Amino acid sequence: MDSDTAADFTVENVEKALHQLYYDPNIENKNLAQKWLMQAQVSPQAWQFCWVLLRPEKVPEIQYFGASALHTKISRYWGDIPAEQYDTLKTQLFSQIARFASGSKIVLTRLCVALASLALNMMPEAWPGAVSEMVRMFQEEGGEVDGRARCLALLELLTVLPEEFQTSRLPQYRKGQVRGALGREWTAVYPLLQQLLRQPDSPPLVKARVLKCLSSWVLLDVPLNESEGLVEASFTALADPELFDTAVEAIVNTISQPDSQRYVNTLLKLVPQVLQLQEQLRDAVQNGDMETSHGICRIAVSLGENHSRALLEQVEHWQSFLALVNMIMFCTGIPGHYPVNETTSSLTLTFWYTLQDDIMSFEAEKQAVYLQVYRPVYFQLVDVLLHKAQFPTDEEYASWSSDEKEQFRIYRVDISDTLMYVYEMLGAELLSNLYDKLGRLLTNTEQTTTWQHTEALLYGFQSIAETIDVNYSDVIPGLIGLIPRININNVQLADTVMFTIGALAEWLADHPVMLSSVLPLVLQALGNPDLSVSSVSTLKKICRECKYDLPPYATNIVAVSQEVLIKQIHKTSQCMWLMQALGFLLSALPVEEILRNLHSLITPYIQQLEKLAEETPNPSNKLAIIHILGLLSNLFTTLDITKQEEESGENAPPIKSAPPQTGPNPVVVVLQQVFALIQTVLSKWLNDSQVVEAVCAIFEKSVKTLLHDFAPMVSQLSEMLGQMYSTIPQASALDLTRQALKRKPDLFLSESLDVKAVFHCGVLSLKFPEAPTVKSTCLFFTELIPHCADIPPVGQVVQEDGKLLLLAVLEAIGGQSSRSLMDQFAEVLFCLNKHCFALLTVWLKEALHSPGFPSSRVSDEQKNTFSQQVLRERVNKRRVKDIVKEFTLVCRGLHGTEYAADY
């Protein structure tokens, strides 16, 4: 089947290939057959073989291919069909559809799609009234096909017509014309659907198809008032279990189409119809019929969410809209635990956002009136949401799958976001409300409270305090006073207590006297592996926000942290966070204390690293090395004694800041102590990109933190960079060179850095297959080239070897590199043009003069145009990116193809 000469596209060969595609066990043969059949489908011979393949004696797989080939020819190669053949084609398709009406369903659908495509291409000029003609053709009593089969075939045709329009390749101006023509034809479709849906003797299958057809046509924005009767009939169909699902889809699609908000009178008629579903909804909930309750909820929500503004505006109907809001509230609070006993409540959350936005967007007087009605509703919503956020009993939760637990976690995050949003409307009163409930719960001695109830209330607090500035709230001191009273007998509750304390870290910075009541809880939790994420992130927040109030507690915090690090209680990423927390904490101490703490903190790791550096490299000691290097770089990320805190806001009191520090920078002291050791590690692991990355990260983080204090390290560092580079060019080393270049351009003046070697490694790296390496390298060059004027060694290397860089860039554009990287190469080209214009003019001319370079597909004239376009643009970087994109498509032979369109 590998030959592709035109003569081979015969009926026999197509049948052979189809047999191979469906029944040959060899996957290679299947793929070859598939490829060959795709060519056959677009060949001129397809017009001959497709009709033969549709003959009644053929099997459905073969008939299906014939129908598909027809659709392909009509939809993609319309221009090849002579106008005088349109009518013949139309007649042939009508008779095939009539024949297959009682034949194979999949073939019938493909034929309907082909006729739909024909109609869309001919409308409106060449085939006016196309839809009316379809309806007429299938309503005529015709020979051997029974009425019901003809009716179903017509419905199939009418259903695929709008769908085919949505995916058709019509040019934009034709799309507008055809959409208008289709819209006008709705008058031919509507009475037919109405009659079939209302006829008592219509079989359920026909009614289901009618509802599907309605769903399809509303995508064309047919006016809601023109489909009112059908929507009413769809509501009636909800009572029939066989039609329920399709009726829900039809109603939801109709209500949700953007155009429907213009028809307020029709919307007002729909509200009572939705409210009438409440009994069916309650029964479904009682009988545990999740499908029905879900469907009815979708209808109520789509009406509320898409039209709350229009319905709120109808003041005289405020009671019926409030009833709809309460119906949606019932769906939000539907009994059972999400996602195990119900999946409906999550659908309703966006409605509450929309309603709130609409109310808050009214002008003040009108808003006040609506708030009187809706504030109580939203307070009720908070109660309902906190009830839904409660964990199930411990036994029940233990029986959930990990997927169900994850869905529940995400659901709680959605509830948390909703509460935060609702706070905008309810304000401080919401916090007081939660505080009162929590207070009553924790001080009530008669009743035993479940931990689930306490946890949910705290969760509500945390949701709001996490993102909203609660500094002015008068209930926070009380809340912090309540926290130690909570009987923490469960991991979920303990987690929420931790996260709540973390959410209040900024408040604690303003009320440091309260630290002593919560810090012990956090330090105690650090020792529990189950509370790893919450306790470490909370400690990090406290150390970041309250560092100038923590010196009295520092010894204790460091001791507990060291203990949990030695016991290896936490996973890698939490250990890294813990180091960042300690970096913040130590920054606020006097230098000698920082050094003393660093000594006790880091010494065990340095000793471990010394041992590891002597061992022969293997996978397990590699992980240990990367872990230790990671701990150091995370500590250096936040250990910053130079930062004087700025004032926050104009009227804020000045924020406490540490006295200016004197003495050596602790980070430099440590780096100089461990430098030799790190070099030993590096020399053994130079070929391992992860270790090299971990080493680079230490210096990159320190360079960022140290700024000017980094000077003592430059000479040692540049030597190490040279050593890394001469072994193997890697993205991380280039990134670090870039950072050091930003901080101290004179890095390139130091004797020990071989600029030429780094430059050549960069050129080599451009040819690497890994995208991150190439991106880093392009960035490196865009930061290096501007220095060719002010740093002599850089200027020299660019003059001597810049052409090599240009050749590498052109090779990449010519097709050597992924198309997704073209913007980065364009940046390098733009940079060369901006800073080395004279040299680039010469290099471009020489480089593009070579025949077949950078691609055999480009002519000299195209190369010349490219060169002139690039040299002209020294200001507009965006334009150079477009020029490069255009040229790379030509080089790859993709210009003007579908690929280019996606680009």
Side-chain angles (χ1 to χ4, degrees), residues 83-369:
E84 60 273 13
Q85 284 182 22
Y86 294 171
D87 282 344
T88 324
L89 192 52
K90 181 165 76 175
T91 314
Q92 283 175 301
L93 279 168
F94 268 127
S95 63
Q96 290 288 353
I97 289 173
R99 233 194 56 228
F100 275 95
S102 41
S104 160
K105 170 82 170 72
I106 59 163
V107 182
L108 172 67
T109 301
R110 286 323 283 164
L111 287 166
C112 287
V113 172
L115 180 58
S117 185
L118 179 79
L120 295 172
N121 278 298
M122 289 173 71
M123 286 168 94
E125 299 85 3
W127 188 1
V131 181
S132 316
E133 189 177 334
M134 291 173 186
V135 174
R136 207 170 48 250
M137 291 285 288
F138 283 90
Q139 280 180 325
E140 288 166 4
E141 285 309 316
E144 67 284 5
V145 183
D146 75 325
R148 182 172 155 210
R150 295 175 72 87
C151 175
L152 286 170
L154 172 61
L155 286 171
E156 183 63 26
L157 177 57
L158 292 176
T159 304
V160 299
L161 188 63
E163 290 167 358
E164 179 67 10
F165 172 75
Q166 303 293 342
T167 57
S168 68
R169 298 164 171 236
L170 296 170
Q172 215 42 50
Y173 77 97
R174 285 274 298 135
K175 268 213 148 148
Q177 287 177 344
V178 175
R179 179 188 277 273
L182 280 172
R184 289 190 291 279
E185 298 257 13
W186 174 238
T187 48
V189 181
Y190 179 79
L192 170 78
L193 300 184
Q194 178 85 318
Q195 177 197 348
L196 290 172
L197 200 51
R198 294 221 155 138
Q199 256 172 354
D201 58 344
S202 282
L205 183 59
V206 169
K207 287 186 171 177
R209 288 288 167 78
V210 167
L211 291 164
K212 275 216 168 90
C213 190
L214 171 61
S215 276
S216 178
W217 275 80
V218 295
L219 295 174
L220 297 171
D221 284 343
V222 293
L224 183 63
N225 59 346
E226 288 179 20
S227 46
E228 204 175 287
L230 269 177
V231 180
E232 270 177 44
S234 307
F235 271 97
T236 315
L238 290 169
D240 181 340
E242 280 188 81
L243 299 177
F244 183 82
D245 290 344
T246 29
V248 169
E249 288 306 321
I251 294 169
V252 168
N253 289 335
T254 311
I255 293 176
S256 312
Q257 52 144 341
D259 190 52
S260 57
Q261 52 205 7
R262 304 208 326 246
Y263 305 98
V264 178
N265 290 335
T266 307
L267 292 173
L268 286 171
K269 288 181 199 165
L270 291 178
V271 176
Q273 294 182 42
V274 174
L275 294 175
Q276 272 169 7
L277 301 172
Q278 289 186 90
E279 197 178 339
Q280 194 180 352
L281 172 64
R282 289 212 164 80
D283 291 347
V285 168
Q286 222 155 6
N287 305 328
D289 173 359
M290 275 162 74
E291 279 71 28
T292 302
S293 52
H294 197 77
I296 293 176
C297 169
R298 279 184 61 202
I299 292 173
V301 167
S302 68
L303 182 59
E305 204 174 292
N306 290 293
H307 305 295
S308 66
R309 177 96 202 191
L311 293 167
L312 277 170
E313 296 272 12
Q314 305 304 308
V315 183
E316 64 281 17
H317 297 277
W318 71 273
Q319 279 160 309
S320 66
F321 183 60
L322 183 59
L324 177 69
V325 171
N326 284 322
M327 180 177 176
I328 296 175
M329 179 79 79
F330 175 80
C331 297
T332 305
I334 210 159
H337 282 288
Y338 182 94
V340 179
N341 327 97
E342 64 93 5
T343 52
T344 299
S345 57
S346 63
L347 299 180
T348 63
L349 297 179
T350 17
F351 164 74
W352 299 108
Y353 283 78
T354 310
L355 178 61
Q356 179 176 324
D357 282 346
D358 289 336
I359 292 172
M360 302 307 272
S361 69
F362 289 136
E363 37 82 25
E365 266 173 61
K366 196 170 180 185
Q367 189 184 14
V369 176

